[in-house]
Amino acid sequence: MKIFFINSLLVTFSIIVGLIIGEIILRTFMPLDLQPIETLESMPSYEMVYRHKPNSQWVSKGREFSVPIKINSKGLRDYEYDLEKKDNVFRIALVGDSITEARQVELDETFAKLVEVELNRLNKQKGKYRKIEVINFGVSDYGTDDEFIRIKADVLDYDPDLVIIVFVNNDLNNVLCNKFFRIDDEGRLVMRQFSRTWQRKLLVRIFGKLHLFYYSRLVLSNYPTVYNYIAEKIDRWIGLPEGYDEQKRLRREMQKRFESEYPTRINYYVNKYQTELEEAYAIVEKLYDEMHKLLSKRGIDLLAVHATHLVRINPTVIHRYNIERYGLKMEDIDVTLPYRRMSEIWSRLRIKHLNMADYLKELADKGNSLHFKRDGHLNPTGHRYFANHIIAYLINNKMVFGD
């Protein structure tokens, strides 16, 4: 018994030391500048919405880039902007994930700053003196649910005249993994409610700030089945919402009806019915509906921009995911499917939207290099064309100058 007790202590001690070493390594070589948003009382605890730590700095490194990143005093990867908007300012808020944050390029090379500079140049050319500000709220790994919460948390505090949400196909998988929201039996969007137990506070205030917690979540999000199993276990530890057992039963039934499980980076291109993906589309539609209503009540315009993925530019990239292993053939893949479906959703909701995919594919077909080959994100040339297309849309639809 004594030997068992000593061995157990040694194993526990070894695990703790290993975790500490792992945390030190991550903080040294993969520094994280994110912190949880704790302003909303109904925030789920195990899965938090992150934003940048104010005044943090680090270097974003990849095989194809090395970019110094500086976060301003408000926690944005941008220049300093006053919270209070001046009378002669037209303010645009950009909300999105890694494409919007754009840590692969210098700040002045991001499409956010290119849009700002060019609109101000055109404004001056027209003889108008209303300054245009484009403020970047982008954070890597955001999904539509994160963006909805972020808009309510602090985007509206900046009193924007226009909000541009950049949608990427993997936002659908983020919604599935986050489980922030569900649709009830009456078709209403419901945010999950959790009791404020000491376990919840521990997760938010301590574990939520650990690099290991963030990166583990990031890796597991690529495996929804495993992710959801772990999330359910944590749910039970931190305190469950009413009716949770019933939700769990229904979710298990849904998984039984789920025909196949495909790699999460290509499941939205598979031209077959997928129950969980349909659930994600339904939640995303409700989220955009709520955002549209929220912004419209404040007189704020909304534009949804559907950003492209490398698969849309070059469909052969899909073979990287070994689709044959999942019983799929190229005829089962439709790289235009998510763009058509999201366009239908935005049209139903009467939300202005811009499909960036066809435009960038046409440019790529002409020999333009728009993405970093290994990283997959937009390179400086891609950002420039991305900005040009947004500028043209804003002007043609009179969303900025009004004439």
Side-chain angles (χ1 to χ4, degrees):
M1 188 69 179
K2 184 178 179 180
I3 294 176
F4 175 78
F5 180 72
I6 293 174
N7 288 338
S8 298
L9 285 178
L10 288 174
V11 171
T12 303
F13 179 76
S14 299
I15 292 173
I16 293 174
V17 170
L19 292 174
I20 292 174
I21 293 173
E23 181 72 14
I24 292 172
I25 291 173
L26 286 175
R27 286 177 181 267
T28 303
F29 297 102
M30 299 177 68
L32 189 64
D33 76 310
L34 303 175
Q35 63 183 12
I37 294 176
E38 301 181 44
T39 57
L40 299 180
E41 291 296 313
S42 56
M43 277 291 296
S45 56
Y46 69 85
E47 176 65 45
M48 290 160 288
V49 176
Y50 290 89
R51 60 180 168 188
H52 295 297
K53 291 179 182 177
N55 301 313
S56 57
Q57 297 183 47
W58 79 100
V59 176
S60 175
K61 291 184 178 181
R63 293 186 180 183
E64 300 156 291
F65 54 82
S66 180
V67 180
I69 304 293
K70 183 178 181 181
I71 305 303
N72 71 15
S73 63
K74 305 291 197 309
L76 307 174
R77 197 222 164 174
D78 212 328
Y79 297 115
E80 294 289 346
Y81 293 93
D82 294 330
L83 189 62
E84 185 176 349
K85 182 178 66 178
K86 294 182 172 60
D87 292 337
N88 66 332
V89 169
F90 183 92
R91 183 168 280 180
I92 300 173
L94 272 177
V95 186
D97 66 357
S98 56
I99 287 181
T100 306
E101 182 188 16
R103 59 173 67 180
Q104 297 77 20
V105 299
E106 300 283 347
L107 179 58
D108 288 333
E109 294 176 324
T110 65
F111 73 85
K113 295 300 99 182
L114 294 173
V115 168
E116 182 179 72
V117 169
E118 181 62 12
L119 287 179
N120 277 300
R121 187 189 70 79
L122 294 172
N123 209 21
K124 186 175 181 181
Q125 194 176 72
K126 286 173 174 284
K128 298 183 177 182
Y129 301 97
R130 193 179 188 190
K131 184 180 179 182
I132 295 173
E133 295 178 345
V134 180
I135 305 178
N136 192 344
F137 292 86
V139 175
S140 296
D141 201 38
Y142 265 13
T144 305
D145 46 359
D146 301 278
E147 291 154 5
F148 175 63
I149 293 171
R150 184 66 189 271
I151 287 172
K152 295 179 71 174
D154 65 352
V155 172
L156 292 178
D157 294 339
Y158 283 81
D159 190 23
D161 299 282
L162 167 65
V163 172
I164 298 178
I165 300 176
V166 180
F167 180 87
V168 184
N169 295 330
N170 57 20
D171 290 356
L172 293 163
N173 290 324
N174 288 344
V175 167
L176 281 178
C177 290
N178 288 346
K179 298 290 184 185
F180 286 161
F181 297 92
R182 63 181 178 86
I183 297 177
D184 66 14
D185 294 338
E186 297 180 6
R188 296 174 302 187
L189 185 71
V190 179
M191 190 173 191
R192 297 178 66 188
Q193 303 290 325
F194 285 85
S195 57
R196 286 188 166 273
T197 60
W198 66 268
Q199 296 100 317
R200 180 187 190 283
K201 293 177 181 177
L202 181 67
L203 278 171
V204 172
R205 296 177 182 176
I206 299 178
F207 292 139
K209 297 177 182 179
L210 294 177
H211 287 48
L212 279 171
F213 184 89
Y214 176 79
Y215 285 114
S216 297
R217 163 186 170 276
L218 200 61
V219 172
L220 286 173
S221 66
N222 290 310
Y223 307 94
T225 302
V226 176
Y227 186 101
N228 289 332
Y229 174 81
I230 295 174
E232 286 178 2
K233 296 299 181 183
I234 297 177
D235 284 346
R236 292 204 167 277
W237 185 63
I238 64 177
L240 297 171
E242 291 185 12
Y244 183 80
D245 287 329
E246 179 65 13
Q247 293 174 30
K248 183 177 180 181
R249 182 185 66 78
L250 291 172
R251 189 153 58 239
R252 282 179 175 172
E253 288 182 3
M254 182 187 305
Q255 289 174 347
K256 289 180 181 178
R257 296 196 305 268
F258 192 45
E259 290 185 4
S260 302
E261 185 175 7
Y262 305 115
T264 56
R265 291 177 183 266
I266 65 165
N267 58 343
Y268 26 76
Y269 299 117
V270 178
N271 200 3
K272 293 183 178 181
Y273 184 83
Q274 301 172 67
T275 305
E276 289 193 352
L277 196 58
E278 293 304 313
E279 177 190 10
Y281 272 115
I283 293 174
V284 165
E285 180 167 0
K286 290 289 185 182
L287 286 167
Y288 270 99
D289 188 30
E290 290 294 323
M291 285 188 282
H292 192 206
K293 291 175 180 176
L294 175 66
L295 297 175
S296 294
K297 285 180 181 179
R298 295 171 174 257
I300 302 171
D301 213 348
L302 171 63
L303 171 64
V305 175
H306 199 151
T308 186
H309 188 273
L310 198 56
V311 170
R312 178 69 182 95
I313 302 297
N314 181 12
T316 60
V317 171
I318 210 159
H319 286 295
R320 292 180 184 175
Y321 305 107
N322 300 317
I323 62 173
E324 296 80 7
R325 174 183 166 192
Y326 298 88
L328 295 172
K329 300 178 181 178
M330 280 306 292
E331 51 262 36
D332 298 318
I333 305 297
D334 181 356
V335 295
T336 69
L337 183 59
Y339 303 97
R340 295 201 313 272
R341 292 204 59 176
M342 287 307 303
S343 180
E344 291 169 0
I345 287 174
W346 290 320
S347 296
R348 278 199 299 271
L349 300 176
R350 297 184 178 180
I351 294 175
K352 298 182 183 72
H353 55 280
L354 173 62
N355 184 350
M356 193 68 67
D358 293 339
Y359 169 71
L360 292 184
K361 177 168 174 51
E362 183 180 338
L363 289 169
D365 289 344
K366 293 179 180 178
N368 293 286
S369 176
L370 307 174
H371 296 79
F372 289 109
K373 291 183 179 180
R374 291 182 178 273
D375 177 78
H377 285 86
L378 293 172
N379 60 25
T381 302
H383 274 275
R384 187 171 71 249
Y385 282 117
F386 202 98
N388 291 344
H389 205 37
I390 290 177
I391 292 166
Y393 185 91
L394 294 177
I395 293 174
N396 292 337
N397 288 273
K398 300 180 179 180
M399 298 183 72
V400 179
F401 300 135
D403 55 18

